[in-house]
Amino acid sequence: MIENRPRRLRKTAAIRRLVAETQLSVDDLVAPLFVREGINTPEPVHSLPGVFQHTRKSLLEEVKKLRDRGIPGLVLFGIPEKKDAKGSEAWNPNGIVQLALNDLRSELDDEMVLIADLCVDEYTDHGHCGIVKSDGTVDNDATLELYQQIAIAQAEAGAHVTAPSGMMDGQVQAIRAALDSKNFEDIAILAYAAKYASALYGPFRDAVDVEIADGGDRKGYQQNPKNVREALMEVHLDISEGADMVMVKPALSYLDVISKVRAETNLPLAAYHVSGEYAMVEAAAANGWIDGDSVGMEHLLSIKRAGADFILTYLACRAAENLQK
Ligand code: PBG
């Protein structure tokens, strides 16, 4: 005699809904977007099917579409025409991201949360996330000064949230101090707290035209995929420095990290379903090997189940459409 029959609760769609433990909602989605200087028409990113480098105009159209789908937030990345050693276009008030933020804030005001990624790798000619010293390593403290200028430029341009992604020590504290010194106390910081040196960022680097000089990598500042205790330490440091929200990135290979961070903090927790995670779904789906929509939704659901409150994902628009069906 079988005493326990969990299948009783799986019998109908209605009872499955009733006992579902996790919900994915359009409210959980943040769309990453790219805006590029010096182009007249949007350019597709080949390794990210469905994702474009936008003009200021096409960005605005795309964002209105996302708003109409009910998506509450976006994270913006810029591709400048000119790159230099320091990445000075990142804090130029007339730099592409600042201009685009101005457009979005004038058009949408507070209808969507405008998150600005804060880093210099899209803007430097060597592709690193900071100032490179003569020995090839990134100068932590000199880089913080750049990040402070960027935070202020983004706030002045209309960002609601700045999201430092460079993994420099002390970046949250430095940025908080800079924002407060200019009366931007209301601008929130979403800290990429546990960001791993992952091979899954490959397609993103196509999207932002970044190649790290001399075949380099980011292992000197991003985290080692072998470590999870270190992620908790990074999260605690960022919280103590004033982070308003923390992020784990990438998502799927780091669900254990999401789950452990969830247990450690009551702050909102974000996870970034990154370019490589999206590209793998798209590539397999294009070959007819998987049902891309279903697998994509399963990815996002699993990230929520692990404990994330919201997800930065290139699937945002399609997921919103699927959720409305
Ligand atoms: C750095 C940054 C990266 C991503 C977001 N911010 C790239 C990197 O660290 O090399 C990757 C996002 C993705 O892969 O979707 N500015």
Side-chain angles (χ1 to χ4, degrees):
M1 233 269 283
I2 298 169
E3 283 180 23
N4 296 311
R5 292 193 179 269
R7 285 184 56 186
R8 283 178 194 129
L9 304 186
R10 297 178 197 143
K11 230 173 148 52
T12 67
I15 201 161
R16 289 194 293 272
R17 264 170 60 210
L18 189 69
V19 301
E21 298 172 35
T22 308
Q23 307 295 340
L24 178 70
S25 140
V26 66
D27 291 343
D28 306 324
L29 303 172
V30 171
L33 294 168
F34 303 97
V35 62
R36 178 169 175 180
E37 188 178 22
I39 54 169
N40 296 320
T41 46
E43 294 199 0
V45 180
H46 292 295
S47 52
L48 290 173
V51 175
F52 292 83
Q53 296 178 329
H54 282 288
T55 65
R56 282 169 66 186
K57 186 159 167 281
S58 71
L59 178 76
L60 213 48
E61 284 157 18
E62 177 72 15
V63 170
K64 285 184 193 158
K65 192 169 107 191
L66 298 171
R67 178 208 44 205
D68 295 344
R69 299 269 191 288
I71 293 170
L74 62 90
V75 57
L76 190 60
F77 299 90
I79 306 120
E81 231 170 354
K82 287 193 308 276
K83 306 195 183 206
D84 60 25
K86 283 187 162 183
S88 35
E89 284 300 300
W91 62 88
N92 179 352
N94 293 312
I96 186 65
V97 159
Q98 276 66 251
L99 295 177
L101 284 169
N102 264 304
D103 295 342
L104 294 173
R105 192 64 189 267
S106 333
E107 189 75 21
L108 300 173
D109 196 13
D110 296 336
E111 281 188 282
M112 282 182 81
V113 182
L114 307 179
I115 305 173
D117 182 86
L118 192 166
C119 198
V120 289
D121 64 314
E122 297 93 7
Y123 303 90
T124 53
D125 49 17
H126 45 68
H128 276 292
C129 298
I131 293 179
V132 179
K133 294 193 279 195
S134 52
D135 66 0
T137 63
V138 171
D139 185 332
N140 192 86
D141 297 14
T143 298
L144 294 183
E145 291 172 26
L146 308 187
Y147 287 4
Q148 290 181 311
Q149 296 183 66
I150 301 172
I152 292 165
Q154 293 175 339
E156 282 171 347
H160 296 97
V161 178
T162 183
S165 63
M167 290 299 279
M168 294 301 124
D169 294 338
Q171 63 184 14
V172 172
Q173 182 176 25
I175 290 165
R176 184 73 270 158
L179 289 170
D180 291 352
S181 76
K182 300 279 183 190
N183 291 8
F184 287 120
E185 288 88 356
D186 290 342
I187 304 298
I189 299 177
L190 165 59
Y192 285 74
K195 176 172 175 180
Y196 286 88
S198 170
L200 289 160
Y201 308 147
F204 173 92
R205 294 186 190 153
D206 290 341
V208 292
D209 294 336
V210 167
E211 204 177 317
I212 307 176
D214 307 322
D217 57 47
R218 307 206 195 293
K219 291 179 184 163
Y221 38 103
Q222 298 180 347
Q223 279 186 238
N224 185 342
K226 291 179 175 168
N227 296 351
V228 63
R229 294 196 306 268
E230 186 188 11
L232 300 182
M233 186 199 66
E234 282 280 5
V235 165
H236 282 299
L237 283 174
D238 282 0
I239 294 171
S240 72
E241 292 179 26
D244 300 285
M245 303 179 273
V246 289
M247 196 197 302
V248 173
K249 177 185 173 189
L252 288 182
S253 309
Y254 301 87
L255 292 178
D256 58 325
V257 181
I258 295 174
S259 160
K260 290 203 161 97
V261 171
R262 174 72 295 159
E264 298 260 332
T265 178
N266 290 321
L267 290 186
L269 171 58
Y272 201 142
H273 183 253
V274 300
S275 57
E277 300 178 287
Y278 172 84
M280 289 194 286
V281 177
E282 292 301 305
N287 274 297
W289 295 339
I290 59 169
D291 170 348
D293 263 355
S294 301
V295 173
M297 294 306 275
E298 200 173 320
H299 277 194
L300 300 180
L301 192 65
S302 71
I303 296 165
K304 281 225 62 192
R305 195 186 60 236
D309 293 307
F310 62 95
I311 308 166
L312 287 68
T313 172
Y314 304 94
L315 291 164
C317 194
R318 278 224 305 283
E321 284 164 9
N322 287 331
L323 287 164
Q324 275 148 11
K325 272 181 199 157

